[in-house]
């Protein structure tokens, strides 16, 4: 099944027409349409119509079945009339703007509910079984659930549910499954009474429908048929899809004991899965909009996680894309939503207000509690003025006493203004949604008194205002949605948002600014042509904000083609290095010779094979979010491949030798030692290790030495170090960091520094930064700790590893070199350039990078559980997922040369992944079985891709880093 996803949206008519232009989401990846004018299709008919229209417009002449199977279809329904949330009726609830949540990273100031929904919807669809071709979802809810999803049964219809009380379940559809077989769907009921749910609970488990249904091709065919689709003619029998309900009809016929049996539907296989730790946020009404956003903002109240002081509970007051001068009070002005508006200090607000689209004004307007105002651009210069009540439902016949406007009967509104139905031009039987109530006026025709006349409970009589209302063009709520000038609406919102950017940056130390998608925000800022304000960050502020600030400035200048961007980016990387190195400088070293003059200290380490979690260990990601990596330490061809020998020598100098390279260098001064960060510096690794061991003043507690010679004489002589790396360069096995850790461990032993494995872990991380190569901590962790293990760190500058060891059985002699193979491709690719690009994405809070890194961390936990259970099939699946995620993070991971090798052995391979950053080096291969392993060996040995390629024997190193003295 292809992994590509095509996103299909149902939207209000005007927004469907303008979607591509306004949202910059092009076909065929995106497709938007609306229900046919005047038709009532129901949720099932609407789904069939959306599929049929998307096929006609994006299939390039292919049949419906071919198109359906070409990519998975994500259908999101957001085309309702939005009667109870009028403020976003023209664009649809799906495209209502949401504020950036203060606990989240990588969100945007112009994000919509769709933007927030989409990553989890796509994650669920990607997780589905091979049968799945489509997922149907709702556009007015937001679901949050655990990152790790349970296995999904591969059935025709899979419903995703959540646990709620019977009282709450009465407002939704409910799946019922047998208690002895909880994933099997017995039947589905629509809005059952609590007593009925409790009665059935003795035998069945009730799960509330989340609105997410996964469908197979067979299920789609049946649903389309029920909506009037003729598969042979590839069109509907009538003019459009028929009125058919997905939940109230199709759903009732699902399961082994369907509530309303239907032979075609009941024959479909079905199941239900509870989403783990699911939370449901609804956006169907004005009240729900504010309640849901307030609940989301207050998910996290821990100041240490929010990153700035004063992180108290967020009030239910939300200002977005707004020029707002009114002095807010938390108690008096509760339940407030202001978006895309200008609210001057001359206004007087109460509570329960939704204010949207308010144009520039200097009105002295006084709002009564519960009054909402919506100004919708119409034509080139006019606004449809829509005042309404906070809890209005815009349902019912206009002339009925039970029909409400501003929470009062519509008749009362007319009487208070000395109007009749006839004068208003509204028939008594007219649905209030269709009643022409809202005047279309130019801005200069509007004033505070007229607006108050429209919404006041007891308006001041005014023939002038009455005549203005009567004589103006008036639109109904339905017509506003159809005639809104959405281009003007979007432009007004963008103007407000751009005006907020510089003030937000100046106030970045107290706001969400440095958690935003900074690349997207930089593009926005660059278009304003506003000069970047000076940084307001001060000593003591969150250290990583300084890094984000510099990288944001670099991104803005880069968008403006200003060459100074390189200086800011270089400073960002330098700041990150300094922060990590500073942690090492806080604990200065005091080297003292601790061996005899004829002794040799011998350090040796395995290399690491990373199975899952790689990249989460890389700063700044691990510093802000923590890291989680599963790897193992292995010896190659029976020996630890990384080795260091150190001994004392009589001359006061440092002698550095590389056995594998056959080169030597002698260092006699601090100046010569302090060249490890210079490009092309020979023995940079060894020099940095000596510096950290206390042979450079800034890392030494012996500050009195005036020269390296003087320090070494006091030490008792010089030091000779010989290094051996029996692994090809660019191997992907972490050799550079492992050699660094082995060097540090050997010197620490020789110099009596007493560094334990955790200290070596942290000092090696600092050493990578000193060398300007960057990199994470998983390489040294893989070798220092040895064995099979999951290594985790929490967020913070001081990265402290928590190691959970695993049983070695899946990597023992029965598996290693038998069904699990290590192969050197003979290809090399240096990780530094790859690293710089990915770290740039981390600096800028790229949502794509953050999403993939989160998935990588989840997959590491999955791999851990598989090994703990000795489940090779699940281990193989997690390794396969690792390879997919690595390629998603860096498309260059799988080069054409690498791909050619992997394609040759694909028939016999269960999973494989390049180790390290990819692009070359070693590949770890999990064969389907021993016979398949033999075929792989024969294929690559008899016809190697190059002269260097070869299989290498591996054995698990339980000890990890070892130190001995002669």
């Amino acid at each position: 099944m292809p992994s590509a996803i095509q996103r299909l949206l149902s939207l209000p008519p005007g927004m469907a027409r303008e979607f591509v232009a306004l949202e910059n989401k092009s076909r065929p990846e995106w497709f938007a349409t609306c229900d046919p004018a005047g038709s009532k299709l129901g949720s099932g008919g609407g789904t069939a119509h959306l599929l049929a229209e998307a096929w006609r417009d994006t299939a390039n002449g292919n049949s419906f079945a071919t198109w359906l199977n070409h990519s998975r279809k994500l259908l999101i329904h957001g085309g309702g009339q939005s009667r109870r949330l009028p403020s976003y009726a023209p664009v649809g609830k799906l495209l209502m703007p949401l504020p950036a949540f203060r606990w989240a990273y990588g969100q945007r100031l112009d994000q919509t509910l769709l933007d927030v929904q989409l990553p989890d919807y796509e994650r669920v669809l990607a997780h589905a079984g091979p049968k799945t071709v489509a997922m149907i979802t709702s556009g007015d809810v937001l679901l949050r659930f655990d990152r790790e999803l349970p296995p999904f049964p591969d059935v025709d219809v899979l419903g995703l549910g959540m646990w709620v009380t019977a009282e709450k379940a009465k407002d939704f559809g409910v799946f019922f499954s047998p208690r002895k077989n909880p994933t099997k769907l017995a039947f589905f009921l629509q809005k059952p009474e609590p007593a009925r749910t409790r009665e059935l609970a003795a035998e069945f488990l009730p799960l509330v429908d989340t609105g997410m249904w996964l469908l197979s091709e067979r299920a789609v065919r049946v649903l389309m048929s029920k909506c009037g689709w003729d598969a042979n003619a590839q069109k509907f029998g009538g003019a459009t899809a028929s009125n058919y309900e997905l939940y109230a009809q199709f759903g009732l016929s699902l399961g082994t004991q369907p509530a309303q049996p239907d032979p075609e539907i009941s024959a479909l296989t079905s199941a239900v899965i509870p989403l783990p730790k699911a939370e449901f946020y609804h956006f169907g009404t004005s009240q729900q909009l504010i309640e849901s956003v307030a609940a989301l903002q207050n998910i996290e109240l821990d100041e240490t996680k929010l990153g700035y002081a004063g992180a108290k509970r967020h009030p239910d007051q939300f200002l977005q894309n707004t020029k707002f001068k009114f002095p807010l009070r938390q108690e008096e002005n509760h339940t407030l939503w202001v978006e895309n508006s200008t609210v001057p200090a001359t206004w007087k607000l109460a509570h329960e207000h939704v204010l949207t689209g308010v144009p520039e004004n200097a009105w002295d307007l006084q709002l009564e509690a519960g009054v909402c105002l919506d100004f919708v651009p119409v034509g080139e210069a006019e606004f449809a003025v829509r005042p309404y009540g906070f809890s209005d439902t815009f349902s019912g016949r206009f002339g009925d006493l039970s029909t409400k406007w501003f929470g009062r009967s519509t008749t009362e509104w007319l009487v208070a203004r000395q109007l009749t139905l006839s004068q208003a031009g509204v028939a008594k039987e007219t649905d209030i949604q269709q009643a022409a109530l809202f005047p279309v006026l130019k801005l200069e025709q509007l004033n505070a008194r007229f607006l108050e006349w429209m919404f006041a409970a007891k308006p001041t009589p005014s023939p002038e205002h009455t005549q203005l209302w009567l004589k103006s063009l008036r639109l109904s709520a339905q017509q506003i949605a159809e005639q809104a000038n959405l281009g003007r609406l979007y432009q007004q919102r963008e103007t407000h948002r751009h005006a907020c950017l510089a003030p937000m940056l100046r106030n970045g130390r107290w706001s969400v600014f440095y958690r935003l998608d900074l690349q997207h925000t930089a593009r926005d800022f660059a278009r304003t042509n506003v000069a970047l304000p000076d940084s307001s960050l001060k000593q003591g502020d969150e250290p990583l904000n300084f890094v984000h600030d510099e990288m944001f400035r670099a991104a803005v200048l880069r968008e403006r083609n200003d060459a100074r961007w390189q200086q800011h980016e270089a400073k960002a990387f330098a700041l990150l290095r300094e922060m990590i190195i500073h942690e090492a400088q806080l604990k200065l070293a005091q080297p003292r010779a601790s061996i005899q003059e004829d002794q040799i200290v011998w350090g040796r380490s395995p290399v690491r094979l990373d199975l899952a979690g790689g990249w989460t260990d890389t700063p700044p990601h691990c510093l802000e979010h923590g890291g989680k990596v599963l790897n193992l330490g292995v010896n190659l061809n029976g020996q630890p491949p990384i080795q260091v020998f150190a001994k004392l020598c009589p001359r006061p100098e440092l002698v550095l030798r590389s056995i594998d390279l056959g080169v030597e260098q002698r260092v006699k001064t601090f100046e010569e030692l302090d060249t490890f960060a210079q490009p092309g510096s020979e023995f940079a690794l060894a020099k940095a290790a000596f510096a950290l061991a206390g042979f450079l003043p800034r890392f030494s507690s012996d500050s009195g030495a005036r020269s390296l010679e003087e320090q070494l004489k006091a030490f008792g002589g010089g030091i000779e170090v010989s290094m051996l790396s029996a692994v090809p360069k660019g191997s992907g096995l972490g050799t550079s960091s492992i050699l660094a850790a082995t060097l540090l461990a050997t010197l620490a032993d020789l110099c009596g520094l007493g560094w334990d494995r955790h200290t070596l872990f942290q000092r090696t991380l600092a050493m990578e930064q000193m060398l300007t190569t960057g990199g994470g901590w998983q390489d040294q962790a893989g070798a220092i700790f040895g064995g099979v293990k999951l290594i985790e760190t929490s967020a913070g500058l001081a990265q402290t590893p928590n190691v959970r060891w695993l049983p070695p059985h899946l990597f023992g002699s029965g598996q290693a070199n038998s069904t699990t193979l290590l192969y050197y491709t003979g290809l090399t690719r240096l990780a530094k350039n790859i690293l710089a690009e990915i770290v740039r994405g981390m600096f800028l809070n790229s949502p794509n990078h953050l999403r993939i890194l989160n998935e990588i961390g989840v997959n590491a936990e999955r791999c851990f559980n598989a090994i703990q259970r000795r489940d090779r099939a699940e281990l193989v699946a997690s390794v396969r997922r690792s390879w997919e995620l690595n390629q998603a993070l860096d498309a260059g991971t799988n080069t054409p040369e690498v791909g050619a090798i992997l394609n040759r052995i694909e028939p016999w391979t269960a999973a494989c992944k390049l180790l390290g950053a990819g692009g070359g080096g070693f590949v770890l291969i999990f064969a389907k079985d021993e016979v398949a392993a033999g075929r792989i060996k024969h294929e690559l040995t008899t016809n190697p891709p190059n002269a260097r390629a070869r299989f290498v024997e591996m054995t698990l190193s339980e000890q990890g880093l070892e130190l001995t003295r002669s």
Side-chain angles (χ1 to χ4, degrees), residues 229-440:
W229 180 256
D230 184 331
N232 292 323
Q234 296 201 118
K235 65 180 182 178
F236 292 108
T240 65
S242 57
N243 184 2
Y244 186 76
E245 291 295 336
L246 181 68
Y247 307 105
Q249 290 178 269
F250 189 86
L252 297 182
S253 300
L254 290 171
T256 57
Q257 304 170 47
Q260 294 181 7
D262 178 298
E264 285 185 280
I265 300 173
S266 302
L268 298 172
T269 58
S270 57
V272 58
I273 288 290
L275 284 173
K277 298 180 182 178
E279 299 169 0
F280 189 90
Y281 301 89
H282 205 250
F283 292 84
T285 69
S286 299
Q287 182 78 44
Q288 289 171 342
L289 168 65
I290 296 175
E291 285 180 349
S292 292
V293 173
L296 286 161
Q297 285 288 17
N298 290 306
I299 283 174
E300 182 59 74
L301 297 175
D302 185 341
E303 289 185 15
T304 63
K305 294 179 181 177
L306 289 171
Y308 52 89
K312 56 188 178 183
R313 186 170 185 82
H314 198 294
D316 57 353
Q317 300 168 323
F318 299 98
L319 313 176
Q320 286 186 87
N321 312 310
T322 286
K323 186 189 296 183
F324 193 89
K325 300 296 183 182
F326 176 79
L328 274 182
R329 296 159 295 176
Q330 189 166 328
E331 296 300 325
E332 293 87 340
N333 307 127
H334 66 82
T335 321
L336 178 69
W337 181 273
V338 186
E339 194 270 323
N340 192 20
S341 294
T342 298
V343 177
T346 49
W347 283 37
K348 292 183 180 178
L349 304 183
H351 52 84
E352 292 186 325
H353 302 311
V354 175
L355 309 175
T356 45
V358 182
E360 286 284 340
N361 71 89
W363 303 325
D364 57 338
L365 187 65
Q366 182 167 347
L367 293 184
E368 299 169 354
V371 169
C372 303
L373 290 175
D374 183 29
F375 293 77
V376 182
V378 175
E380 296 305 313
E382 295 174 312
F383 292 91
V385 183
R386 172 166 42 189
Y388 60 95
F390 185 76
S391 299
D392 287 353
T393 61
F394 280 91
S395 61
R397 299 192 307 171
F398 191 82
D400 290 354
L401 290 174
S402 59
T403 302
K404 305 295 183 184
W405 190 18
F406 302 107
R408 301 179 291 275
S409 75
T410 48
T411 303
E412 184 180 340
W413 187 90
L414 290 170
V415 170
R417 286 152 186 80
Q418 301 177 345
L419 289 167
T420 65
L421 282 168
S422 176
Q423 288 174 312
V426 181
K428 181 179 180 178
E429 299 79 18
T430 303
D431 187 310
I432 188 174
Q433 182 76 357
Q434 314 300 330
L437 303 174
F438 307 110
V440 177

Side-chain angles (χ1 to χ4, degrees), residues 785-851:
F785 297 108
V788 186
K789 68 276 180 187
L790 182 73
I791 313 119
E792 297 175 270
T793 62
S794 299
L797 286 178
Q799 291 284 286
T800 303
N802 175 43
V803 184
R804 288 190 279 168
W805 273 274
L806 287 158
H809 304 85
L810 294 180
F811 304 95
S813 56
Q815 302 282 351
N817 312 308
S818 176
T819 56
T820 304
L821 310 174
L822 186 62
Y823 183 72
Y824 179 54
T825 64
L827 307 170
T828 60
R829 182 186 183 207
L830 296 180
K832 185 172 181 179
N833 292 336
I834 312 166
L835 179 69
E837 190 58 39
I838 292 175
V839 169
R840 180 183 289 115
M842 295 175 183
F843 279 140
L844 293 171
N845 300 325
S846 158
N848 186 54
H849 284 77
L850 292 174
R851 177 186 59 80

